[in-house]
């Protein structure tokens, strides 16, 4: 069965620094991969999704993720962190029931 | 543009009490889900319903029951609440169109405390 692993339950960066949140999927290539973001006391909202049309996927708020089959990875990046990016980020994979990683909490320091 | 609506947002229960979390979506989605979110555990699927009239167990179904009342509504019931069920519960739905790309839409969560 498909699964995802998020490396690092907490990531801290300074404002303006590069954000890198890691996600690896299990060996079989999934048709879709997602990143969701959860702001405090809110539900999850879609950040971006991979649909095999392009390996580099751009999402909302300046985030992007690159699908790398050779590394079975779908890491999330943003060149310059903002304070408003502080949230929890979840990588997820279908099929019929979405399976989530355990989440990475991003802290951004001024 | 309501999307997925779940109630109540906050609830405190005593051990052994029962309650039902309500969820409704207005996007005409076939699939609906209930997740629980606990620190360090991410989101875990409790039950899901692929279509009206069907329900299936997820990863952590014990202690819960669900009802897919109609296409819009999917309720989660705790028959005899236990402290281990203290959690944040999220309802979600997904459209069946390939254009939707299997995107799941979430409600804003229900914070449940069992004392």
């Amino acid at each position: 069965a498909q699964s995802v692993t998020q490396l690092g339950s907490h990531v801290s960066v300074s404002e303006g620094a590069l954000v890198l949140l890691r996600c690896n999927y299990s060996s079989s290539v999934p048709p879709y991969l997602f990143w969701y973001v959860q702001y405090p006391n809110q539900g999850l909202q879609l950040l971006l999704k991979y649909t095999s049309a392009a390996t580099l996927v751009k999402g909302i708020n300046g985030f992007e993720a690159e699908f790398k089959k050779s590394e079975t990875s779908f890491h999330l990046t943003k060149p310059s962190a903002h304070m408003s990016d502080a949230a929890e980020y979840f990588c997820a994979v279908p099929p019929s029931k979405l399976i989530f990683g355990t989440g990475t909490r991003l802290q951004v320091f001024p | 543009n309501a999307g997925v609506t779940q109630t109540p947002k906050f609830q405190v229960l005593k051990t052994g009490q029962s309650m039902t979390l309500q969820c409704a979506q207005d996007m005409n989605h076939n699939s609906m889900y209930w997740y629980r979110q606990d620190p360090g555990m991410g989101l875990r699927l409790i039950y899901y319903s692929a279509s009206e009239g069907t329900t299936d167990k997820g990863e952590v179904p014990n202690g819960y029951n669900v009802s897919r009342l109609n296409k819009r509504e999917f309720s989660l019931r705790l028959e005899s609440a236990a402290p281990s069920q203290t959690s944040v519960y999220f309802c979600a739905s997904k459209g069946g169109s390939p254009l939707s790309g299997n995107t799941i839409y979430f409600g804003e969560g229900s914070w449940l405390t069992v004392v």
Side-chain angles (χ1 to χ4, degrees):
Chain A
Q2 276 286 4
S3 65
V4 288
T5 302
Q6 289 184 243
L7 299 176
S9 59
H10 290 82
V11 171
S12 298
V13 300
S14 299
E15 193 171 23
L18 171 71
V19 176
L20 171 61
L21 305 181
R22 300 176 186 275
C23 172
N24 289 86
Y25 60 89
S26 57
S27 56
S28 57
V29 177
Y32 302 101
L33 277 165
F34 300 86
W35 275 101
Y36 281 82
V37 59
Q38 183 182 28
Y39 297 103
N41 300 319
Q42 294 186 24
L44 279 74
Q45 62 184 82
L46 183 67
L47 198 57
L48 53 81
K49 63 183 177 186
Y50 164 76
T51 62
S52 73
T55 56
L56 183 62
V57 182
K58 293 186 184 300
I60 61 172
N61 301 335
F63 283 93
E64 62 182 35
E66 186 172 7
F67 177 80
K68 291 187 176 180
K69 185 178 176 180
S70 60
E71 299 177 6
T72 63
S73 69
F74 190 57
H75 300 333
L76 182 70
T77 61
K78 182 174 181 178
S80 177
H82 293 165
M83 297 294 290
S84 59
D85 294 327
E88 191 150 17
Y89 293 80
F90 293 91
C91 183
V93 62
S96 59
K97 44 189 180 180
L98 202 61
I99 304 299
F100 286 87
T102 50
T104 299
R105 184 168 298 278
L106 176 66
Q107 289 182 307
V108 181
F109 293 98
Chain B
N1 188 17
V4 180
T5 304
Q6 53 181 110
T7 57
K9 192 167 178 75
F10 299 98
Q11 183 72 50
V12 178
L13 285 178
K14 293 183 179 178
T15 297
Q17 285 185 318
S18 62
M19 78 158 295
T20 299
L21 299 177
Q22 307 286 354
C23 176
Q25 51 91 9
D26 61 3
M27 295 174 282
N28 201 36
H29 286 169
N30 288 321
S31 301
M32 296 186 74
Y33 308 81
W34 276 105
Y35 290 88
R36 60 177 288 173
Q37 183 178 27
D38 303 288
M41 306 289 284
L43 277 85
R44 293 181 292 169
L45 183 65
I46 305 171
Y47 271 93
Y48 69 104
S49 170
S51 62
E52 183 180 353
T54 68
T55 61
D56 286 286
K57 295 178 180 179
E59 302 171 71
V60 288
N62 292 343
Y64 305 95
N65 285 301
V66 290
S67 297
R68 184 72 183 268
L69 304 170
N70 47 56
K71 193 171 186 179
R72 289 187 65 248
E73 299 173 289
F74 187 42
S75 62
L76 177 72
R77 183 162 178 83
L78 287 70
E79 291 291 352
S80 179
S84 61
Q85 293 178 304
T86 294
S87 187
V88 184
Y89 292 86
F90 288 97
C91 179
S93 71
K94 183 184 74 169
S97 163
L99 292 177
S100 72
N102 280 295
T103 301
I104 290 189
Y105 297 86
F106 286 85
E108 296 207 333
S110 296
W111 275 253
L112 176 65
T113 301
V114 183
V115 297

